[in-house]
């Protein structure tokens, strides 16, 4: 079998270059995390999540342990990814 000096299609280099730039742009996006601006004296709502343990694989609900709990606990799932990961995001009494 003899190979002659065949040339690659000229569009291959352009496609590879575009792929490198597109992959670099999308590489740092975290789904569900969007920047939010705050002004002075704006309320910042603190939320709590599940607690994990090194002794068991099952996570604990944050308020299953003796922490200060608000009068009414409200689940605040913000996106599908949190549900699929098993996050249990709830309100807290802290502002």
């Amino acid at each position: 079998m003899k190979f002659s000096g065949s040339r690659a299609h000229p569009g291959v280099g352009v496609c590879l270059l575009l792929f490198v730039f597109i992959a670099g742009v999308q590489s740092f996006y975290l789904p569900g995390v969007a920047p939010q601006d705050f002004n002075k004296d704006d309320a910042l709502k603190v939320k709590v999540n599940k607690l994990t343990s090194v002794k068991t694989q099952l996570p604990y609900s944050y308020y299953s342990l003796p922490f200060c709990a608000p009068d009414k606990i409200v689940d605040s799932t913000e996106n599908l990814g949190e549900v699929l990961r098993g996050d249990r995001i709830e309100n807290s009494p802290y502002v």
Side-chain angles (χ1 to χ4, degrees), residues 44-64:
L44 177 65
K45 296 180 181 178
V46 179
K47 298 180 181 181
V48 298
N49 199 349
K50 64 184 176 193
L51 298 171
T52 56
S53 171
V54 294
K55 296 185 184 219
T56 179
Q57 295 295 321
L58 298 174
Y60 293 99
S61 172
Y62 187 83
Y63 293 119
S64 67

Side-chain angles (χ1 to χ4, degrees), residues 21-35 78-82 85:
F21 285 121
I22 290 172
V25 171
Q26 296 295 326
S27 65
F28 193 71
Y29 175 70
L30 296 173
V33 179
E78 296 184 4
N79 62 38
L80 180 61
E82 293 172 358
R85 283 190 310 266

Side-chain angles (χ1 to χ4, degrees), residues 48 62-63 67-74 90-94:
V48 298
Y62 187 83
Y63 293 119
F67 293 118
C68 297
D71 296 330
K72 181 179 180 187
I73 298 173
V74 179
E90 300 168 326
N91 63 323
S92 72
Y94 308 108

